Amino acid sequence: MPKGRKRQNRKRIGRWTAQRLAVLDEFLQGGEHLSARDVYQRLREKEINLGIATVYRSLDFLIEIGLLRQYDFGSGEAKYELNDDEADQHHHMVCRVCGKVINYSKFVKRGLSLVKDIKMELEKNYGFKINSHQFEFRGVCGVCGD
Amino acid sequence: MPKGRKRQNRKRIGRWTAQRLAVLDEFLQGGEHLSARDVYQRLREKEINLGIATVYRSLDFLIEIGLLRQYDFGSGEAKYELNDDEADQHHHMVCRVCGKVINYSKFVKRGLSLVKDIKMELEKNYGFKINSHQFEFRGVCGVCGD
DNA sequence: AAGCTAATGAGAAAGATTATCATTAGCAAT
DNA sequence: ATTGCTAATGATAATCTTTCTCATTAGCTT
Ligand SMILES: [Zn+2]
Ligand SMILES: [Zn+2]
Ligand SMILES: [Zn+2]
Ligand SMILES: [Zn+2]
């Protein structure tokens, strides 16, 4: 996560401004793995013009309240997507040549008990409170291979 | 998220220069989760002065030949470490407050068959050739919590 | 309507990584 | 050892994503 500015501890929830709603809406309308610039440009095409800094701030806000999640797939920019709840969680496979990202959700159920055990172990041995996990596979996609 | 542009494809053959050996040696001597700047500064303290660009190029080279691996733990800079072979692989738990990274290797064996099945499924359904995977847990460490 | 303060916009700044290019050095063949 | 070829290096500029600054706007609350 970028070295964001320090966040105040006991603040109330932020305000639902038109800009934040517009950013969220891009994801609700199906946007997957969008970068800040992606969101910025999509809104621009709809003549909704917000500053790029506001896009970043809105994304941070939406992460803070739990609606979005941030990923780094190695493209040089952070990607964002809706934050599934645990049971529906999906994971990612990334092509290391073209950067294509594929969602998969098979085996999530089968992995759940393993995840639960790891969480317990980590919390017991290291005093961590685990909030989230991600499994990521890297390789070469069919187009880039051969 | 590491800033800067995407890594470009570069040629494959390489020479074992003193600089590349020096960079590798930092990891062989026990360096874990080092950033390019970490490596640069450690070598500097030993009066081995290479340019920061050469550090980056050496890290890329060492990744290319399979000796190193790159991670992004959200600190804003990429981290590098020795590339374990599959059976000894470890995974990471990251504190989202202070950025501390902990290695853990428990449950790796138990996860192996799950990983194998996921790989087969992904290769069959999507035509991917999987090279690596990583499991990452995020949360708050004992120092930062409470 | 007034007052408070969070949020915004524009642009500057920061910071990590990559590109450029003249120079150096590793390697192979002589 | 010398020559010749070419990859690698060093210094630095450029690039790109993300954050900071600060004057202004807008969302709540009273
Ligand atoms: Zn591909
Ligand atoms: Zn996804
Ligand atoms: Zn911590
Ligand atoms: Zn590690």
Side-chain angles (χ1 to χ4, degrees):
Chain A
M1 167 97 79
K3 44 201 148 313
R5 81 171 50 157
K6 199 146 203 169
R7 281 168 182 152
Q8 305 277 353
N9 216 6
R10 282 191 172 264
K11 234 182 235 152
R12 273 163 263 163
I13 195 170
R15 297 169 176 168
W16 277 105
T17 62
Q19 289 90 341
R20 289 170 171 182
L21 285 168
V23 169
L24 174 59
D25 205 42
E26 282 307 309
F27 294 95
L28 293 178
Q29 285 180 12
E32 280 189 325
H33 311 145
L34 302 181
S35 68
R37 187 155 300 273
D38 290 335
V39 173
Y40 176 74
Q41 285 169 343
R42 287 183 179 213
L43 291 175
R44 239 167 197 240
E45 286 166 11
K46 298 176 183 171
E47 319 219 356
I48 303 173
N49 295 329
L50 21 166
I52 185 71
T54 297
V55 173
Y56 278 105
R57 286 181 293 221
S58 297
L59 292 167
D60 285 348
F61 168 77
L62 294 167
I63 288 173
E64 217 166 317
I65 64 175
L67 290 182
L68 292 188
R69 236 183 122 153
Q70 186 190 57
Y71 293 94
D72 171 42
F73 297 129
S75 68
E77 55 189 1
K79 298 292 180 67
Y80 303 82
E81 68 176 12
L82 286 175
N83 188 20
D84 306 324
D85 47 53
E86 183 141 11
D88 295 324
Q89 218 154 39
H90 70 269
H91 296 288
H92 297 110
M93 178 173 48
V94 182
C95 174
R96 65 162 198 252
V97 177
C98 68
K100 181 163 60 189
V101 177
I102 285 183
N103 291 337
Y104 75 89
S105 48
K106 279 198 172 181
F107 296 106
V108 166
K109 200 169 291 179
R110 182 172 152 196
L112 272 183
S113 79
L114 177 60
V115 166
K116 209 173 94 185
D117 290 348
I118 295 178
K119 270 188 179 176
M120 276 175 43
E121 185 76 12
L122 293 177
E123 298 191 348
K124 199 176 68 182
N125 289 355
Y126 299 100
F128 262 69
K129 184 80 189 63
I130 302 296
N131 299 112
S132 68
H133 63 276
Q134 79 177 101
F135 295 172
E136 185 184 303
F137 286 78
R138 289 186 174 269
V140 181
C141 78
V143 176
C144 298
D146 303 303
Chain B
M1 183 93 15
K3 296 167 181 172
R5 49 175 70 167
K6 190 173 165 182
R7 192 205 319 286
Q8 75 165 20
N9 293 331
R10 57 179 75 245
K11 282 179 205 159
R12 44 188 64 168
I13 287 288
R15 295 168 177 170
W16 276 105
T17 63
Q19 290 89 341
R20 288 171 172 181
L21 285 168
V23 169
L24 175 59
D25 206 40
E26 282 307 308
F27 294 95
L28 293 178
Q29 285 181 12
E32 280 190 323
H33 311 148
L34 302 180
S35 68
R37 187 155 301 271
D38 290 335
V39 172
Y40 176 75
Q41 285 170 343
R42 287 184 180 213
L43 291 175
R44 230 157 210 247
E45 286 166 12
K46 300 176 181 171
E47 320 218 357
I48 304 172
N49 294 330
L50 19 167
I52 185 71
T54 298
V55 173
Y56 277 105
R57 284 181 294 223
S58 297
L59 292 168
D60 285 348
F61 168 75
L62 293 167
I63 288 173
E64 220 166 314
I65 64 176
L67 291 182
L68 292 187
R69 235 182 124 156
Q70 188 189 57
Y71 293 94
D72 169 42
F73 297 129
S75 67
E77 55 190 1
K79 298 293 180 67
Y80 303 83
E81 69 176 12
L82 286 175
N83 189 19
D84 306 324
D85 47 54
E86 184 141 11
D88 295 322
Q89 219 153 38
H90 70 270
H91 296 289
H92 297 110
M93 177 175 48
V94 183
C95 174
R96 67 162 196 251
V97 177
C98 68
K100 182 163 62 187
V101 177
I102 284 184
N103 291 336
Y104 75 89
S105 48
K106 279 199 172 183
F107 297 104
V108 167
K109 200 167 289 177
R110 182 172 153 198
L112 272 182
S113 79
L114 176 60
V115 167
K116 210 174 92 185
D117 290 348
I118 294 177
K119 270 187 180 178
M120 276 175 43
E121 185 76 12
L122 294 177
E123 298 191 348
K124 200 176 68 183
N125 289 356
Y126 299 101
F128 261 70
K129 183 80 188 62
I130 301 295
N131 301 112
S132 68
H133 64 275
Q134 78 176 102
F135 295 172
E136 187 183 302
F137 286 78
R138 289 186 174 269
V140 181
C141 77
V143 176
C144 298
D146 303 303

